Amino acid sequence: MRTSPLFALPLVLAATTGARAQALDGQLDSSFGSAGQRTVSFDAGNTDKDYARAIVVDAQGRSYLVGDVDSTTGRKIGIARLLANGQVDYDYGSEGLGKVVAPSGPASINVTSAVLDAQGYLLVAGSKQVSGADTSFLVCRFDPEGEPANFAGGASSCVHPDFNIGGFKTDVANSILVQPDGKIVLAGYAATDTGTTLAVVRLLADGSFDAGFGNGGKTTYTGAPFVSFDAVRIRRNPDGSFVTAGSAYDADAAHFGVIVHIGADGVVDTTFSAGHGYARSPSVKSEYTDVAWNAQWQQYVAIGNRMAPSSRGFTRCLLAGGGGVTCPHGIAPGYEYALSYSVTFSALLPQADGRWLVAGSHVPTQNAPSDLFVARLDPSLELDALEFAAPAGRAAHDFGSFGQQDFGHALAFQGGRLLVAGATLYEMNTNDYDFAVAAFTLDRIFQSGMEKP
């Protein structure tokens, strides 16, 4: 196990920071778990592939690692709960193991995201196989003990919103959020006869379709000239509207990142980005993986990746109307981070002080092992080399598993810590992954467990 800053910035930067270069933020927090990390294996059978794709922290500081796990009866939902100190919470789940695998019978489920609802129950989203390539959106609800729990006022603990537009009928939910009024929004894609379409659904708290959203609770959109659209992330804006980040392909398989604005009523804003209906990345072979609204700038900030030829993470600023705009302090609308042979940006988390946390994966040189990656960007979207993992502004973490492949997928605040969740390959030349989470200090922006305004 190792965590190291990635030294790629001019040395003059460190020389001019003085005492600030000793900032505590971005250091592995050894008080969490085992020396700052925790891995969890389910090993329920078949390939034993256990892959965490989301992390959620409750009001008690307990963290839920959520993903999918392989078993002898198919791929299923896997949840592990950790105490605030990173130790396994053995009071969680019916078997006293701190883990839950659901459902009990045969299933083929891919988990993509999770969130807590207004009652503190865990909602897990993804897709479930119907037959062959036919899959439906899926969201399941679990109580604080890890037991399946019916939706509030509903009759089932899992619902399967379906689009069934065409093609192979492959419908996948990649992102979930819960509105302040308890309504549940899922975003992803649905197969069509010619490709895929961005697909969004809004459910009432009881799991039924919200008829006041889109067309009977559903919204689909594919912007011309593209034949395939998707959403990897959906966020709710302060005015109640939504923004999605994802990608699109045209008929020649050219691949771009796309941002789409959707009204609070579920109607796609076709005036967005000068009437295009979407904002496209400036470069081909690109994808957007997350997006968030910055109230101070009145802009969107998006992250993504571009293959050039290996992966480079990038950020981009967009006006409320979708146009490109120069970010504060002179940073161009599109800003790439060629930090090593390959770096992948997967998740974005805004701090209340205007800085941005990014998680993903990092490969230092060609054919080298992959490490979990975390970075902080200052308000101008440059690496925060002064106060985070100084003097680099970014760090890579190796969980020490024999497989030497580590990936970061999700971020969450936990008091004075940042938790980065993903997966680690337990053994080389296998598919035996384990859930993994690493904790990093964020002492300078927290006080008494609450983020400063």
Side-chain angles (χ1 to χ4, degrees):
M1 179 192 72
R2 57 175 170 78
T3 298
S4 58
L6 302 172
F7 298 93
L9 294 180
L11 294 179
V12 66
L13 198 67
T16 58
T17 60
R20 295 181 70 191
Q22 305 303 315
L24 295 176
D25 290 2
Q27 307 301 314
L28 197 68
D29 186 347
S30 60
S31 68
F32 180 90
S34 175
Q37 67 175 43
R38 174 64 60 193
T39 61
V40 178
S41 61
F42 290 78
D43 291 344
N46 201 3
T47 66
D48 288 334
K49 181 181 179 181
D50 310 327
Y51 215 96
R53 304 183 188 276
I55 184 168
V56 178
V57 177
D58 68 15
Q60 289 76 45
R62 300 173 300 192
S63 54
Y64 297 80
L65 302 179
V66 186
D68 37 51
V69 303
D70 225 353
S71 77
T72 55
T73 54
R75 194 139 190 88
K76 302 183 181 184
I77 295 170
I79 308 167
R81 191 168 75 185
L82 307 180
L83 299 172
N85 62 5
Q87 302 303 320
V88 174
D89 183 358
Y90 292 107
D91 290 332
Y92 185 70
S94 59
E95 299 181 1
L97 300 176
K99 299 178 285 189
V100 167
V101 176
S104 57
S108 181
I109 292 171
N110 288 310
V111 172
T112 56
S113 54
V115 69
L116 293 174
D117 67 14
Q119 290 73 43
Y121 284 41
L122 184 69
L123 301 179
V124 179
S127 61
K128 180 178 181 180
Q129 183 185 43
V130 178
S131 64
D134 183 357
T135 63
S136 66
F137 277 26
L138 173 72
V139 57
C140 295
R141 189 171 188 252
F142 296 85
D143 68 20
E145 285 71 49
E147 295 294 328
N150 289 350
F151 284 83
S156 174
S157 62
C158 291
V159 293
H160 315 90
D162 225 337
F163 287 82
N164 282 338
I165 296 173
F168 292 109
K169 300 181 180 179
T170 305
D171 304 336
V172 176
N174 285 322
S175 184
I176 184 172
L177 64 82
V178 175
Q179 298 184 180
D181 60 4
K183 294 179 179 179
I184 302 160
V185 182
L186 301 163
Y189 66 87
T192 67
D193 289 334
T194 57
T196 64
T197 181
L198 182 150
V200 182
V201 62
R202 188 163 71 187
L203 307 175
L204 302 176
D206 64 4
S208 63
F209 287 109
D210 178 4
F213 183 86
N215 183 9
K218 304 176 186 179
T219 291
T220 60
Y221 176 72
T222 303
F226 295 103
V227 297
S228 289
F229 246 62
D230 68 32
V232 175
R233 188 85 66 196
I234 187 166
R235 300 268 193 171
R236 187 173 181 269
N237 294 319
D239 64 358
S241 65
F242 304 94
V243 61
T244 67
S247 58
Y249 289 83
D250 65 17
D252 296 321
H255 184 202
F256 294 88
V258 288
I259 303 293
V260 177
H261 181 249
I262 301 171
D265 58 358
V267 176
V268 172
D269 179 6
T270 55
T271 68
F272 189 67
S273 190
H276 291 97
Y278 58 88
R280 195 198 76 179
S281 64
S283 301
V284 72
K285 296 184 179 180
S286 299
E287 62 178 353
Y288 285 126
T289 55
D290 209 341
V291 62
W293 177 250
N294 184 296
Q296 178 182 356
W297 301 347
Q298 293 295 292
Q299 298 172 17
Y300 291 113
V301 171
I303 64 168
N305 303 293
R306 183 174 77 88
M307 298 301 294
S310 58
S311 180
R312 294 182 179 182
F314 68 81
T315 57
R316 184 163 177 82
C317 299
L318 299 141
L319 290 172
V325 60
T326 300
C327 298
H329 309 292
I331 301 298
Y335 191 78
E336 287 194 4
Y337 303 79
L339 305 177
S340 58
Y341 174 74
S342 175
V343 62
T344 301
F345 287 0
S346 299
L348 177 70
L349 186 62
Q351 289 187 180
D353 63 357
R355 290 181 283 190
W356 306 83
L357 293 154
V358 178
S361 306
H362 164 263
V363 178
T365 59
Q366 190 173 9
N367 300 321
S370 172
D371 292 331
L372 177 146
F373 172 86
V374 61
R376 187 164 69 189
L377 310 179
D378 66 21
S380 68
L381 298 181
E382 295 207 65
L383 288 164
D384 185 9
L386 301 182
E387 296 188 349
F388 190 86
R394 52 200 168 96
H397 180 69
D398 176 1
F399 284 95
S401 299
F402 297 121
Q404 300 182 19
Q405 299 293 330
D406 304 315
F407 303 93
H409 289 289
L411 296 159
F413 291 124
Q414 188 214 42
R417 297 187 184 108
L418 171 69
L419 301 183
V420 185
T424 182
L425 183 61
Y426 177 73
E427 188 172 353
M428 191 77 73
N429 300 321
T430 72
N431 209 21
D432 185 1
Y433 284 88
D434 293 336
F435 283 18
V437 59
F440 297 87
T441 54
L442 283 178
D443 298 321
R444 287 179 175 255
I445 62 161
F446 283 85
Q447 185 175 34
S448 302
M450 298 297 291
E451 188 175 358
K452 293 180 181 180

